[in-house]
Amino acid sequence: MNDAAGYRIEHDSMGEVRVPAHAKWRAQTQRAVENFPVSGQRLERAHIEALARIKAAAAQVNAELGVIEKDRAEAIVSAAREVAEGRWDEQFPVDVFQTGSGTSSNMNTNEVIATLATERLPEGREVHPNDHVNASQSSNDVFPSSIHIAATAAVTRDLIPALDHLADSLERKSAEFATVVKSGRTHLMDATPVTLGQEFGGYAAQVRYGVERLRSALPRLAELPLGGTAVGTGINTPAGFSPAVIAEVARATGLPLTEARDHFEAQGARDALVETSGQLRTIAVSLTKISNDLRWMASGPRTGLAEINLPDLQPGSSIMPGKVNPVIPEAVLMVAAQVTGNDTTVAVAGAAGNFELNVMLPVMAKNLLESVRLLAHASRLLADRTVDGITANVERAREYAESSPSVVTPLNKYIGYEEAAKVAKRSLAERRTIREVVLDSGYVERGDLTVEQLDEALDVLRMTRP
């Protein structure tokens, strides 16, 4: 029943509720909209899709097991597929900060699909959000399962390919810079020489190890509590429902989803989400290290290191003409900071499980999925807009390597550590090269080493391949 103000009256077990006339949602969703005007942030697109995938699979299995009629199941499947495709995202208005079990968003999904499915049936036939769309399910197993599905999809389809893309870019630069010798640095102070290629190879390895870490967590992330219903016992669920519905979701999504080995662990704890978030934090730390190194090496152009050039992407100052900044590495650093903060939220939320349920599920979902999305975008940006365009200032890098007092290190075996330290200090004080100081100090005349041995020892490129 619609009123003149553009609302209709819906009801649930608590009574009547005024719902916008255009809305596909019903009473419970409307209550949640009114109860949780907190952040304006809604579920991630991937999360809505995962909820819809569960509803479609559940309807198919429920029909096969005789729980609901075939025509209702077909209508639910058709409606759920549209929701999964993103055609009804505006019908999911519930704030992320809601009831901790995600019941409001589960019911939002049930109600929207029920309305869409009812529109597909003959007049007089209806689809009920609880009795039909939510049949054999509970928010307590559906909502956490949807997080695991969405996160598994995002990690495998978005983040891992993006990280592989970044690693490929870094490895190409590693090969390109294989003979570009430069000063190593420890404690931000001069150290023995390395090649720019070795440094970029190290960055690529960091990213590759991040992929390894994600893959190691996937088997647990892809375990679903679906079928446990309210507390993990599977009450109100027909025999065979859980493996059948998970198999159908896996088939529909192409994801390596499996049934939880222990439904009580899977219902009461969210350790796999905490573990995955920790791997995302580690990747964020890696990207922080890489981005900061790139900023340092590109600093200048006159008063910094200026060992490499980053692509010029945009003016860097509203007042200083000609200034250009390392904007992509800076953006990546902000992403890394956000992901690190998100991980803290996930960890705190993961520790909030009590008995048979964690009641901070929506905020865990929001932070985990946001972290995956941000890292995927940032990794591709870093590769495409920065790493691919980096060039080396070869002569400047070599000059640093050759002028560093640390190149005295290979002389230890000829003149000893203490004498080599004297040479390094004199070189620095007199602003002379190590070679000049050694020749001037009589080591060759005394027979400590030959000129040929000196030249070989001070070959900075050779120092990178001892």
Side-chain angles (χ1 to χ4, degrees):
M1 180 179 68
N2 293 351
D3 62 24
Y7 289 88
R8 68 178 192 274
I9 303 300
E10 292 282 354
H11 76 277
D12 58 14
S13 60
M14 295 182 68
E16 294 185 342
V17 181
R18 292 172 76 239
V19 176
H22 71 277
K24 299 296 183 184
W25 67 79
R26 301 185 186 181
Q28 290 200 42
T29 301
Q30 188 62 33
R31 291 188 192 278
V33 169
E34 295 168 4
N35 285 336
F36 307 116
V38 181
S39 69
Q41 299 176 70
R42 304 180 182 185
L43 296 191
E44 295 263 344
R45 161 94 280 277
H47 197 171
I48 296 172
E49 177 182 350
L51 284 165
R53 296 290 185 194
I54 292 172
K55 300 304 175 181
Q60 286 182 250
V61 174
N62 276 325
E64 293 166 3
L65 297 177
V67 176
I68 61 176
E69 298 89 339
K70 184 178 179 180
D71 63 339
R72 281 196 172 104
E74 290 174 347
I76 292 169
V77 169
S78 175
R81 285 175 177 166
E82 287 188 1
V83 171
E85 291 166 2
R87 293 175 57 180
W88 299 99
D89 284 0
E90 76 281 0
Q91 298 296 324
F92 288 80
V94 180
D95 201 280
V96 163
F97 297 92
Q98 54 173 281
T99 176
S101 61
T103 298
S104 296
S105 285
N106 181 46
M107 283 307 303
N108 186 181
T109 308
N110 290 333
E111 289 179 345
V112 170
I113 291 174
T115 299
L116 295 172
T118 298
E119 293 170 358
R120 288 160 167 77
L121 293 176
E123 190 172 350
R125 294 274 290 164
E126 292 189 5
V127 172
H128 193 278
N130 299 82
D131 296 338
H132 303 130
V133 183
N134 202 61
S136 309
Q137 304 153 65
S138 164
S139 298
N140 297 354
D141 66 339
V142 166
F143 197 80
S145 293
S146 69
I147 305 172
H148 285 251
I149 293 167
T152 299
V155 166
T156 57
R157 295 173 182 169
D158 299 330
L159 182 53
I160 288 178
L163 292 172
D164 283 338
H165 182 69
L166 175 58
D168 288 343
S169 177
L170 290 165
E171 285 167 353
R172 286 193 297 272
K173 288 297 171 180
S174 178
E176 180 183 337
F177 299 148
T179 60
V180 179
V181 66
K182 55 165 286 183
S183 178
R185 294 184 180 87
T186 57
H187 302 267
L188 290 180
M189 307 299 285
D190 296 351
T192 53
V194 298
T195 68
L196 193 57
Q198 288 169 329
E199 289 184 327
F200 273 75
Y203 304 150
Q206 282 187 275
V207 177
R208 294 287 187 209
Y209 296 158
V211 172
E212 288 182 14
R213 292 183 178 98
L214 285 174
R215 291 194 188 281
S216 73
L218 272 176
R220 292 169 294 283
L221 181 63
E223 281 192 28
L224 305 184
L226 203 57
T229 61
V231 293
T233 60
I235 190 171
N236 283 2
T237 298
F241 175 84
S242 185
V245 75
I246 290 171
E248 175 56 27
V249 176
R251 185 204 64 76
T253 61
L255 298 173
L257 306 172
T258 58
E259 183 178 356
R261 287 167 286 175
D262 186 301
H263 275 275
F264 295 95
E265 184 278 337
Q267 202 102 343
R270 298 270 62 81
D271 291 351
L273 299 184
V274 175
E275 177 188 10
T276 302
S277 181
Q279 307 294 26
L280 299 177
R281 181 198 62 221
T282 302
I283 292 166
V285 168
S286 296
L287 294 183
T288 298
K289 198 273 186 193
I290 293 166
S291 295
N292 273 329
D293 277 9
L294 295 179
R295 292 199 306 152
W296 273 105
M297 285 190 287
S299 61
R302 291 289 182 267
T303 60
L305 298 179
E307 293 175 327
I308 63 173
N309 304 302
L310 304 184
D312 291 349
L313 298 178
Q314 62 187 59
S317 173
S318 62
I319 189 172
M320 292 177 279
K323 193 172 191 295
V324 180
N325 298 328
V327 292
I328 298 298
E330 289 171 354
V332 173
L333 289 170
M334 287 187 279
V335 164
Q338 182 67 57
V339 170
T340 301
N342 286 353
D343 177 62
T344 299
T345 299
V346 171
V348 171
N354 302 115
F355 301 108
E356 280 68 58
L357 188 66
N358 181 292
V359 290
M360 296 185 75
L361 296 175
V363 78
M364 293 186 80
K366 181 259 184 190
N367 282 274
L368 185 67
L369 294 175
E370 180 183 70
S371 290
V372 174
R373 175 167 49 81
L374 290 176
L375 286 173
H377 291 329
S379 296
R380 289 192 179 276
L381 274 177
L382 186 59
D384 296 342
R385 305 284 290 174
T386 295
V387 175
D388 283 352
I390 290 175
T391 58
N393 291 325
V394 179
E395 295 306 318
R396 182 156 185 164
R398 188 177 188 91
E399 178 186 349
Y400 285 155
E402 292 178 339
S403 62
S404 168
S406 295
V407 300
V408 77
T409 302
L411 298 180
N412 288 356
K413 63 182 179 180
Y414 297 111
I415 62 176
Y417 180 92
E418 291 189 11
E419 287 297 314
K422 292 178 183 177
V423 170
K425 291 177 181 179
R426 183 178 170 189
S427 168
L428 198 59
E430 298 178 3
R431 300 182 69 86
R432 300 169 69 193
T433 67
I434 296 293
R435 189 177 190 280
E436 289 171 341
V437 173
V438 170
L439 290 175
D440 191 48
S441 299
Y443 297 108
V444 174
E445 288 80 358
R446 290 199 301 267
D448 293 326
L449 77 168
T450 66
V451 173
E452 290 75 17
Q453 288 173 323
L454 176 62
D455 289 341
E456 183 179 283
L458 296 182
D459 182 343
V460 289
L461 183 58
R462 187 175 180 274
M463 288 183 203
T464 68
R465 308 187 190 99

